[in-house]
């Protein structure tokens, strides 16, 4: 479904991604794990059209999307739920969700909203509330709901558990599992390697812009190097 080939990305003179390649098959959860600064968020932002690579390609469902603007990438069915949530703080919950559906035909917005409200009942209760006044967990649900408004076939999640209490982390990961079982393919970036590997089908370990290990997620949980570096 997604094929990243030999991707090189720079921030000025900093070589952030050094020729990474990986694949995501339809129906899978694939996770990228690694320390801060490994290049995980850069990878998602490049796939989503927010950063332009120096070289390499991003192929989504057979179509080269490497040079496409983010808005066009979203309309093809590839959505990003960004690190730090990036909700529109001064807008209501409902307005945030409607912004997420901007690529959909106007006649489909109501059905998409209803679908998100079914998935996140808390958002339905608080749809008129200013988004910036929500709790951290509710803001994460809103960020995910906003991404789902575009009806993505592949959803990229960047650090969905960041800053959340353990009980909320479990809830978020349950929702990720439900979304996947309902047919959404997921590419997950997550610092909580234990949770990420427990839910994923395949995993890639990133270090300083390189992929240093990859394979079955459950097998990587038993890998001595991965245990030492990420699982404690």
């Amino acid at each position: 479904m997604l094929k990243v080939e030999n991707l090189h990305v720079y921030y000025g003179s900093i070589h952030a991604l050094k020729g990474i390649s990986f694949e995501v098959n339809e129906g899978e959860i694939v996770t990228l794990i690694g320390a801060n600064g490994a290049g995980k968020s850069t990878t998602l932002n490049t796939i989503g059209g927010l950063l332009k690579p120096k070289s390499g390609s991003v192929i989504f469902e057979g179509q080269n999307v490497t040079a496409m603007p983010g808005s066009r990438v979203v309309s093809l069915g590839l959505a990003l739920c960004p690190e730090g949530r990036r909700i529109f703080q001064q807008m209501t919950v409902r307005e945030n969700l409607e912004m997420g559906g901007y690529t959909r035909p106007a006649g489909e917005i109501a059905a998409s909203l209803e679908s998100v409200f079914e998935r996140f009942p808390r958002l339905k209760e608080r749809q008129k509330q200013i988004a910036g006044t929500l709790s951290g967990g509710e803001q994460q649900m809103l960020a995910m709901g906003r991404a789902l408004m575009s009806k993505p076939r592949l959803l990229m999640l960047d650090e969905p558990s960041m800053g959340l209490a353990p009980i909320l982390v479990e809830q978020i990961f349950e929702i990720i599992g439900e979304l996947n079982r309902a047919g959404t393919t997921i590419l997950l970036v997550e610092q909580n390697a234990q949770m990420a590997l427990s839910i994923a089908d395949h995993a890639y370990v990133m270090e300083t812009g390189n992929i240093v290990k990859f394979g079955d997620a459950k097998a990587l949980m038993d890998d001595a190097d991965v245990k030492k570096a990420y699982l404690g």
Side-chain angles (χ1 to χ4, degrees):
M1 189 177 211
L2 178 72
K3 192 169 190 174
V4 172
E5 292 184 309
N6 200 29
L7 212 55
H8 287 266
V9 176
Y10 287 79
Y11 294 108
S13 61
I14 298 167
H15 198 176
L17 295 182
K18 302 168 183 172
I20 65 166
S21 300
F22 66 92
E23 294 182 1
V24 179
N25 294 316
E26 188 169 358
E28 287 185 336
I29 298 178
V30 171
T31 187
L32 307 177
I33 63 170
N36 272 337
K40 307 183 303 296
S41 294
T42 299
T43 301
L44 295 197
N45 287 333
T46 305
I47 293 168
L50 302 179
L51 291 172
K52 296 299 174 223
K54 181 94 169 179
S55 60
S57 62
V58 178
I59 311 294
F60 177 60
E61 294 193 319
Q63 189 165 352
N64 191 326
V65 301
T66 315
M68 281 185 190
S71 56
R72 176 90 177 101
V73 173
V74 171
S75 69
L76 293 176
L78 182 56
L80 170 63
C81 180
E83 181 181 10
R85 295 149 201 160
R86 306 283 182 90
I87 60 167
F88 301 107
Q89 299 273 340
Q90 305 304 320
M91 295 167 69
T92 66
V93 167
R94 187 185 182 97
E95 286 167 344
N96 266 270
L97 293 173
E98 288 171 344
M99 289 292 284
Y102 77 98
T103 61
R104 308 295 302 168
E108 294 181 12
I109 299 295
S112 293
L113 268 172
E114 206 44 54
S115 173
V116 169
F117 286 150
E118 275 178 35
R119 178 84 53 198
F120 301 103
R122 189 86 55 87
L123 298 183
K124 185 168 188 176
E125 291 166 18
R126 311 214 164 182
Q127 59 181 295
K128 294 180 181 175
Q129 188 169 327
I130 297 299
T133 65
L134 298 175
S135 71
E138 289 163 348
Q139 289 189 21
Q140 184 59 53
M141 291 175 188
L142 178 56
M144 290 173 70
R146 183 181 59 185
L148 290 171
M149 284 292 294
S150 67
K151 285 205 165 176
R153 290 189 297 285
L154 195 158
L155 175 63
M156 298 188 291
L157 296 166
D158 195 353
E159 303 285 5
S161 78
M162 183 185 282
L164 299 184
I167 190 162
L168 288 173
V169 173
E170 295 218 352
Q171 278 181 26
I172 291 295
F173 272 86
E174 280 173 19
I175 291 165
I176 293 169
E178 287 168 10
L179 288 171
N180 180 244
R181 288 189 290 277
T184 306
T185 304
I186 290 173
L187 177 57
L188 171 67
V189 158
E190 179 55 64
Q191 280 221 292
N192 186 333
Q194 185 81 43
M195 292 292 282
L197 292 172
S198 70
I199 198 173
D201 298 294
H202 294 98
Y204 294 82
V205 181
M206 293 189 71
E207 284 180 15
T208 57
N210 294 292
I211 289 171
V212 294
K213 282 183 186 285
F214 65 93
D216 178 83
K218 308 304 180 285
L220 283 175
M221 285 180 89
D222 295 324
D223 181 281
D225 293 336
V226 172
K227 274 184 175 176
K228 184 178 176 184
Y230 306 109
L231 304 180

